[in-house]
Amino acid sequence: MRDTTNDRADSSSSDARRPPASHPWDAVEHPPVNPKTSAAIMVAFALLAVTVVIFGGNLLNPKASTTDGDYAGETIELLIPLAEGGGTDTWARFVGTELTREIPGKPGFSPVNEAGGEGISGTNRFAASAPADGTEILVSTASTVMPWVLGRSAVEYNFNRLTPILATGTGGVIYARAEAGVRKPEDLLNRDAPLKFGGISATGLDLTTLVAFDLLGVDVDAIFGFEGRGPVNLALQRGEVDLDYQTTSAYAPAVEPLVRAGTAVPLMSFGQVDDKGDVVRDPNFPDIPNVAEVYQSLYGQAPRGETFEAYKKLLALTYTYQKAMWVPGDTPRQAVELLRASAEKLSQSPQFNQEVAKVLGGYPLLADQQLAARISTAYTVDAPVREYIVNLLESDYQVKLE
Amino acid sequence: MVESAVAALQALFAPEQLILLLIGIVAGLIIGLIPGLGGTGAVAILLPVTFGMDPEQALALLIGALAVVHTSDTVAAVLLGAPGSASASVTMLDGYAMAKQGQAARALSLAFLSSMAGGILGAIGLTLAIPLARPLVLSFGSPELFMLTVLGVSLAAVLSRGNVAKGLTAGFLGLLLGMVGTSPTTAESRFTFGSLFLADGLSLVAVALGIFGLAEIASRVGQVDKPGAVVELAGGWLSGIKEWLGYWGQVLRGALIGIWAGVLPGVGATAGTWLAYGQAVATAKDKRTFGKGDPRGIVGPESANNSVEAGDLIPTLLFGIPGGVPAAMLLGMLLTYGIQPGPAIISDHLDLMYLIVWSFAIASVLGAMFCFAGTRGLASITKVPFAILGPGLVVVMLLGAFQEGGQLGDLWVMLALGVFGWLLKETGFPRAPFLIGFVLAIPMERYYFLTANVYSGLSWMLRPWVLVFLAVLVVPAIVTGTRRGRARLRPTPEDPHAEPPPEDQHEGELVGSVWSRGLSAAMLLVFVAGFLAAGSFSPEARLVPRLVCAGGAIVAALLVFTELRTWRRTAEPGVTWTRDVGVALKTFVWMVAFLGLTTLFGYVAALLLFVPAFLLYVARAKPRIVIVYGLALAIVIAALPSLIPIGLPIGLVNTT
C-alpha cells in the first residue's frame, strides 16, 4: 500500500499498469460499464424501489384497525416511550403480554420502544399520530407525566385528551442515615446544618419528595446529578448523603439490610391516595407512618393548604397512578370498554396476582369502571398547584423550567 | 461453595442449556460482527426469545451472547476501520494499522486470544470479586470516580504523541460535543438549539461509527484500482499463539483493569478499555510504535474489553445498578423471574451466579475458537476492492447505528461526523482523543459536581485512592519531563529517532494545506461561540462548558498560530486538491443522497437506488455483480425485521 503514492495523482498512468483483460471473478470492470447497460440496470432498480415504496410498508406490516371492537387477527401495538430494560419497560411488556392474552380474539402483541427526550418524544408522536382504532396503546409513567404537569414547552400531549385503560401504582419510603443524627422524624427539624439529600433531577420523581420536605419544613441541601436511586443508596452507605428515598420494589433489597444493621432509619412512607382523595397508609408499609401522619405528629394538626394540595396531587400522579396505559380519546367506545374489561378480568385473576407481585411490587392492577373518573380527577392540575410547584423549583432549587 | 460450582457446571451441560448457550454464542458473534449493534443489539434481539424460558436457560442464552460480542466486534474494527462498538475503537487504533501493513491475520489472532483470556479471567474475577465487591464499591465514591475520568481524559494527551496541540484540540472538541444535551446536575438543555432530539445528547454509536467508520469508507473508496492489502498468514497457528504468550503480562493487566472498571458503577466499558490502553502506553518504555500496529495496543485492550463485561455483572446483580443498557435489560429480565438484585442474591441464587460464571467462561473460549477458526476467511475480506464493499458497509453500518434510538437524526449526525472525521484524518488530527473526550465529558462533569457538593473544600483530595490516581496522573509527566530535560543536556545518538516513525503515507495528505488552516480556525471559532453560548446557562451548568471552551480556545489559537507560522516559513501553498480528496468528497455526497432518499422513501427503497448506482458509477463494477449484490442486500434487509426485532427507517412518504 505504501507504493501507491505515485499512482494516485494520475489515473491515466495507472491505466497502463492494470491487467488488460479482467478475470471473470474480478469484481471491477476496468473500462467503464456501457452507459446503456448502466441505465437499464438503474431503471430496473428504480422500478423495484417504487414498488417497495408503494406496497412495501403494508406488505410486511399490515396496518391493524378494529373499529368494531373485534380483535381477531389484529395486533396490539404498545408504545413504550423509554429505553428497553428499565422498570417501566419491564412492567409494560409484562402487563401487555398478559393483557393481550385476556382480550378475546387472540390478538398479537407488539411492544415498541421509542425512547427520546425522557419519554416526551414518543408520547408526542403518539398524541399526534396514533390511529384511534383501539390497537395502539400508550404507556405512561411519572417521568412522562411530570413534564406535562409542569407545562414544559417540549410537551405536545395532553393526558386529558387520552382515555386510560389500566393503571398501577407504587409506593416509597424516605429514610435517613442514622449517623447523621436522624433517628426519628423529629430529628429532621431544628438542625444546625441542612441535611444532604441525593437526587437525580429536580423535575422528575424527586419532586414529590421535595414537596414533602417543603411541607414538613425540613431544611434540605439537595444534590442532583446521581444517575439513579441505586447510586444514591450507595452514597448514603458511604456517608456522602443523609437522606434518600426508595420505591417499594427496591426497598427490601436496598434498605432493609441497612435498617437491620442499624445504619439507616425509615422515617415515613409517601402513602397512597384513596378514592376520596385522602392520603392513607401504604398497604405495603403498614408500620411506617405516611407524610400526613408525620406532619400531624410534628405540628399537632392535620396538614392543610396549598403545599398539601400540591403534595396530594403529586402523590396521586407519581405514585398511586404512577404507570398507566392509554388509548387516544376518540377511540371507539366498544374497543375502549373491551380493553378495560379485559384488564379488569386480569386484575381479578389470582394466578396473575401471584405472578405479578414480583413485578408490580404488591400493588394491584387498577382497571375498574371508576378508573377513568378517578384518573381524570387525579390528572387535573389546578393553576395554583402548578404555580406553587414552579415557584418552589425556582426559589429553592434554582431550576427554571423551559 | 465448590459443590455449588460443580453442580452449576453439570447443570450447564444439560442438552437444552448447552444448545441455548451455543445459540447465544453464535448469535452474539454474528451481531458483534455488524458495526453498531453491539451488546445492546444482542440483548434486545435475544430478550424476546427468552420469554417463557426458565431463568437458567434465559441466562445461558443471554450471557453466551454478551460474553462474545466484544470478541467479534474487533473484526470490523481491524479489517475495515469500522469499530463494532465504541470500545472496539481502542483495538482499532493498532489493529487497523497492523492490518493496513498486511498483517490482518496476526492482528485478529492476537485480538481473539486476548478476548478469550479476558473472558476467562473475567469469569474468575467475577467469582472472586463477589465477596470483595461490596467494600470496594463502597470505598469508591464520587471523588475517586472523578479522578478516574480525569485520568481517562488525560489519555488524550498521551495519545496525541507527535502533535500535542492537535490532539488536545481534538480532545477539547470531543468534550464540548459530549456536553450537547442535558446538564447532568441541573437538567437544563445545553447547546441543543431547542431541539428535543439533541436534548438527549448525541448517540455514542453514531459518533464512533461516523468519525471512524464512515470516514474510513470515504477515504478508502478512492482505491478502486488497487488490490486489497496482501494478507499475511505467516506461520500459522502456533507462531501466533507463541507470540501472544509473550504478552501474557499485558493480557493479565488488561483483564484486571477491565474487571475493576466493570465492577465500579459509573465507569463504562468504553472508559475501561481506554484505561487499559492508557496503562499499556504509560508503562511501555518505547512508546513510539503505539497507534502504528503495536501488538501491545491490541492485547491489553481486547482483554479488558471482554473482562469488563464480566465485571459489569457485579454492580448489576449485587446493587441493581446496571453498568450499561445490556445490563439494564438483563436486570429487567431477572426481575420478571422474581430475582431481586442485592446482596441476598448470592445466598438465594448461588446456583444462578455460578451458571453465569461458567456460561461466561465457556462462551469466551468457544467464541474465540470460532473466530480464530474463521480468521483466514474473515481476513480475506480485505481482498475485495473497497469500492465494492463500500456501499454495503454504509448500508449495514447506518442500519446498526439506527437500532440504538430509532431516530433518523442519529444517522445524519453519523454522516456529519463522518465528514468531520475524514477532515480530521486528512489534516493530521488524531481522532482517538476526540472520542475519549466525548465519552467522558458528562461523567467527568457529573462526578465533579457530586464531589464538590458533597465534600466541603478540598478535603476529598486527601482520600487514599484519590492520591493514588493523582500520582498516576502526575508522576509519569514528571518522569518524562526530567528525562527530556536530561536528554537535552546530554545529546545521545538516539536523537534522530526522537520523532515518531512516519505515519501511514496515505494519512495526513492535507497536512499544512489550506484545509488544515481552515479547520484550525473553524475550531477556534467553535470554542469561542461555545463560550459565549454558555452564558445563557445557569451558573452551575455553565462552569464546565466554559472551562472546556476556554481550554480549547487556547489550544486552538496556538494551533492556528503554528499553522500560520509554518505557512509563512515554507512559502508552500500546500496541497489543495488530490484525486483522493475528490473521491472522498464525492462519496460523502453519495452518502448524503442515500440518507436523503431514506428520509423520503424508507430504507429498502433508498438502498435499491443507492447501492446499484454507486457500484455502477463510482466503483465501476460489472453488471452481474451489481445486480446480484443489489438484490441480495435489498432482500436481506427487507426480510430482517420479520426475523429479528430490528427496525428499518421509514420514509416520510410512508408515514401518513
Side-chain angles (χ1 to χ4, degrees):
Chain A
M1 286 186 72
R2 289 176 195 270
D3 63 352
T4 59
T5 342
N6 297 325
D7 287 356
R8 275 201 297 271
D10 185 354
S11 55
S12 58
S13 71
S14 59
D15 280 0
R17 290 182 214 206
R18 275 194 253 107
S22 39
H23 190 278
W25 289 112
D26 196 342
V28 177
E29 187 86 37
H30 291 291
V33 182
N34 182 345
K36 284 208 200 104
T37 328
S38 305
I41 295 179
M42 280 317 302
V43 168
F45 271 105
L47 284 173
L48 205 54
V50 170
T51 324
V52 166
V53 171
I54 298 179
F55 298 108
N58 292 330
L59 212 60
L60 297 175
N61 293 314
K63 268 281 154 221
S65 70
T66 176
T67 43
D68 54 0
D70 174 14
Y71 282 89
E74 310 285 2
T75 302
I76 302 264
E77 191 178 282
L78 189 64
L79 182 80
I80 308 169
L82 301 165
E84 285 120 328
T88 307
D89 181 63
T90 312
W91 172 84
R93 285 164 185 271
F94 186 84
V95 174
T97 314
E98 299 292 325
L99 177 68
T100 317
R101 274 193 218 135
E102 283 293 332
I103 300 175
K106 295 221 187 314
F109 177 57
S110 164
V112 174
N113 292 76
E114 256 192 56
E118 297 166 86
I120 298 179
S121 306
T123 317
N124 278 350
R125 206 188 64 72
F126 184 90
S129 60
D133 56 19
T135 59
E136 303 247 346
I137 305 181
L138 171 74
V139 170
S140 76
T141 179
S143 58
T144 60
V145 173
M146 199 64 100
W148 170 73
V149 169
L150 296 174
R152 285 182 56 186
S153 56
V155 167
E156 290 162 15
Y157 48 89
N158 185 348
F159 283 104
N160 299 133
R161 290 204 207 109
L162 301 173
T163 311
I165 308 242
L166 58 86
T168 309
T170 185
V173 169
I174 302 176
Y175 65 101
R177 191 168 64 93
E179 268 186 31
V182 181
R183 284 169 214 277
K184 46 194 194 309
E186 285 74 20
D187 297 333
L188 289 171
L189 304 178
N190 302 320
R191 303 190 62 84
D192 305 322
L195 290 164
K196 294 205 185 100
F197 167 71
I200 304 167
S201 155
T203 52
L205 190 58
D206 293 349
L207 187 54
T208 314
T209 315
L210 297 179
V211 173
F213 286 147
D214 191 43
L215 177 69
L216 296 172
V218 183
D219 189 14
V220 148
D221 178 17
I223 301 169
F224 298 107
F226 285 92
E227 286 170 279
R229 291 246 72 82
V232 182
N233 175 269
L234 278 182
L236 187 136
Q237 291 183 51
R238 289 187 203 116
E240 293 176 326
V241 299
D242 309 315
L243 293 172
D244 179 29
Y245 72 92
Q246 292 291 335
T247 53
T248 313
S249 47
Y251 185 78
V255 183
E256 266 174 18
L258 302 179
V259 173
R260 276 196 299 268
T263 44
V265 178
L267 295 173
M268 64 194 90
S269 82
F270 292 107
Q272 295 290 333
V273 174
D274 69 359
D275 295 351
K276 294 189 228 73
D278 298 325
V279 179
V280 296
R281 274 216 186 170
D282 189 319
N284 282 297
F285 300 109
D287 303 323
I288 304 182
N290 65 48
V291 170
E293 289 174 307
V294 168
Y295 183 96
Q296 171 100 37
S297 72
L298 290 177
Y299 296 104
Q301 59 178 5
R304 267 195 328 231
E306 184 185 77
T307 315
F308 187 54
E309 290 305 310
Y311 178 74
K312 280 197 290 189
K313 182 61 54 174
L314 285 176
L315 183 63
L317 282 172
T318 61
Y319 283 99
T320 308
Y321 304 110
Q322 187 184 77
K323 301 196 205 301
M325 291 193 187
W326 311 74
V327 289
D330 43 356
T331 304
R333 197 163 308 159
Q334 296 120 305
V336 175
E337 191 40 42
L338 184 59
L339 289 172
R340 193 207 58 77
S342 311
E344 188 171 16
K345 209 163 84 154
L346 188 65
S347 72
Q348 290 158 345
S349 140
Q351 188 199 8
F352 173 76
N353 281 316
Q354 231 181 350
E355 276 181 51
V356 100
K358 319 166 205 158
V359 181
L360 294 191
Y363 294 90
L365 188 73
L366 306 167
D368 51 279
Q369 302 230 329
Q370 291 78 37
L371 178 74
R374 293 208 309 278
I375 288 209
S376 166
T377 322
Y379 277 63
T380 310
V381 183
D382 301 326
V385 167
R386 187 174 282 136
E387 250 180 66
Y388 158 76
I389 296 176
V390 171
N391 284 335
L392 177 73
L393 285 173
E394 259 192 55
S395 60
D396 286 11
Y397 301 101
Q398 289 80 47
V399 173
K400 270 188 89 74
L401 293 171
E402 16 186 80
Chain B
M1 185 175 116
V2 181
E3 310 95 53
S4 341
V6 174
L9 185 59
Q10 284 177 325
L12 188 57
F13 275 93
E16 322 90 53
Q17 302 272 77
L18 213 51
I19 292 179
L20 282 169
L21 185 63
L22 280 171
I23 295 178
I25 295 173
V26 173
L29 286 176
I30 296 178
I31 293 171
L33 278 175
I34 302 171
L37 288 181
T40 314
V43 181
I45 291 173
L46 293 174
L47 202 54
V49 178
T50 65
F51 286 159
M53 283 188 199
D54 294 328
E56 294 81 9
Q57 298 171 321
L59 278 174
L61 185 69
L62 290 175
I63 300 282
L66 274 179
V68 301
V69 161
H70 284 297
T71 309
S72 60
D73 70 9
T74 319
V75 175
V78 166
L79 294 180
L80 305 167
S85 63
S87 43
S89 55
V90 188
T91 321
M92 191 188 73
L93 287 181
D94 281 284
Y96 186 51
M98 207 186 263
K100 283 199 283 189
Q101 292 162 20
Q103 299 183 345
R106 177 178 169 225
L108 286 177
S109 309
L110 287 172
F112 295 149
L113 286 168
S114 306
S115 283
M116 179 177 77
I120 299 177
L121 289 168
I124 296 178
L126 195 58
T127 351
L128 295 177
I130 292 176
L132 296 173
R134 208 167 181 82
L136 181 71
V137 170
L138 287 182
S139 65
F140 257 75
S142 310
E144 286 78 13
L145 290 173
F146 173 64
M147 285 310 299
L148 267 182
T149 54
V150 170
L151 263 183
V153 172
S154 70
L155 262 186
V158 168
L159 286 169
S160 45
R161 335 194 46 74
N163 201 329
V164 181
K166 283 192 169 164
L168 284 180
T169 316
F172 276 114
L173 210 55
L175 280 170
L176 185 59
L177 206 68
M179 296 192 174
V180 170
T182 312
S183 144
T185 49
T186 64
E188 282 166 62
S189 23
R190 298 186 297 193
F191 305 120
T192 60
F193 307 109
S195 149
L196 197 58
F197 166 69
L198 286 178
D200 278 332
L202 297 181
S203 148
L204 175 58
V205 174
V207 169
L209 281 185
I211 210 171
F212 287 115
L214 287 184
E216 208 55 40
I217 292 181
S219 57
R220 280 185 71 175
V221 158
Q223 299 155 26
V224 173
D225 298 325
K226 296 150 194 69
V230 171
V231 172
E232 183 199 285
L233 306 171
W237 312 92
L238 278 177
S239 72
I241 298 182
K242 243 189 261 177
E243 180 189 9
W244 179 77
L245 283 174
Y247 292 110
W248 69 269
Q250 292 280 348
V251 174
L252 192 61
R253 269 179 284 166
L256 284 173
I257 293 182
I259 298 175
W260 178 72
V263 167
L264 291 176
V267 182
T270 314
T273 318
W274 279 117
L275 282 172
Y277 189 84
Q279 170 277 135
V281 173
T283 53
K285 290 224 173 65
D286 180 7
K287 305 183 206 286
R288 291 173 314 209
T289 46
F290 275 99
K292 309 197 180 10
D294 189 326
R296 291 169 299 177
I298 300 178
V299 294
E302 263 308 297
S303 169
N305 218 347
N306 281 61
S307 67
V308 82
E309 289 294 330
D312 234 5
L313 291 171
I314 297 212
T316 310
L317 298 170
L318 284 188
F319 299 103
I321 301 173
V325 179
M329 293 197 267
L330 199 69
L331 200 58
M333 181 209 83
L334 287 175
L335 282 174
T336 54
Y337 292 114
I339 301 173
Q340 288 274 12
I345 211 177
I346 309 171
S347 32
D348 294 346
H349 300 283
L350 192 59
D351 51 334
L352 282 180
M353 296 290 102
Y354 278 116
L355 180 73
I356 292 175
V357 170
W358 284 118
S359 304
F360 204 94
I362 296 176
S364 303
V365 175
L366 287 179
M369 272 170 50
F370 291 156
C371 280
F372 214 157
T375 304
R376 250 149 252 231
L378 291 168
S380 62
I381 292 181
T382 51
K383 289 209 184 100
V384 179
F386 211 88
I388 306 283
L389 276 182
L393 265 184
V394 169
V395 168
V396 168
M397 273 171 41
L398 286 174
L399 187 61
F402 184 72
Q403 298 315 307
E404 201 200 3
Q407 313 241 37
L408 211 54
D410 284 338
L411 300 187
W412 287 106
V413 167
M414 188 167 146
L415 189 51
L417 274 150
V419 177
F420 182 60
W422 174 81
L423 270 174
L424 285 181
K425 183 179 153 168
E426 295 297 331
T427 50
F429 278 86
R431 288 168 287 170
F434 179 88
L435 196 62
I436 298 177
F438 179 76
V439 169
L440 290 178
I442 294 287
M444 189 175 73
E445 182 178 6
R446 163 181 284 128
Y447 294 125
Y448 167 69
F449 277 115
L450 285 178
T451 306
N453 288 332
V454 169
Y455 297 88
S456 43
L458 292 173
S459 56
W460 59 271
M461 290 196 117
L462 296 173
R463 289 161 65 100
W465 279 106
V466 174
L467 289 173
V468 168
F469 291 140
L470 266 176
V472 172
L473 190 60
V474 165
V475 166
I478 300 180
V479 168
T480 344
T482 43
R483 220 184 263 166
R484 253 196 224 136
R486 240 182 272 149
R488 222 165 268 171
L489 295 174
R490 280 186 291 116
T492 66
E494 276 184 322
D495 269 356
H497 298 291
E499 281 308 304
E503 303 252 346
D504 174 6
Q505 275 181 308
H506 181 70
E507 280 190 32
E509 278 196 310
L510 298 174
V511 175
S513 71
V514 66
W515 294 88
S516 179
R517 290 188 287 276
L519 192 59
S520 312
M523 287 186 182
L524 180 59
L525 283 174
V526 166
F527 286 125
V528 171
F531 190 91
L532 295 172
S536 63
F537 308 151
S538 74
E540 194 169 282
R542 80 166 80 115
L543 176 65
V544 181
R546 283 212 147 158
L547 282 175
V548 167
C549 286
I554 294 175
V555 192
L558 201 67
L559 202 57
V560 172
F561 176 69
T562 329
E563 292 268 337
L564 288 174
R565 196 178 57 177
T566 331
W567 185 30
R568 212 153 287 166
R569 204 189 285 168
T570 57
E572 241 182 63
V575 175
T576 19
W577 193 265
T578 66
R579 178 179 163 274
D580 275 354
V581 170
V583 173
L585 289 177
K586 226 182 353 162
T587 312
F588 280 125
V589 172
W590 278 89
M591 290 190 207
V592 169
F594 175 54
L595 261 191
L597 284 172
T598 306
T599 315
L600 289 172
F601 303 117
Y603 213 62
V604 180
L607 84 88
L608 278 172
L609 290 170
F610 167 71
V611 174
F614 192 92
L615 288 173
L616 284 172
Y617 297 112
V618 180
R620 296 195 314 212
K622 291 180 160 171
R624 202 185 327 155
I625 300 239
V626 174
I627 297 176
V628 169
Y629 192 141
L631 280 177
L633 193 59
I635 293 176
V636 167
I637 300 276
L640 225 43
S642 334
L643 302 169
I644 47 179
I646 243 185
L648 291 180
I650 306 180
L652 287 173
V653 164
N654 272 327
T655 48
T656 30

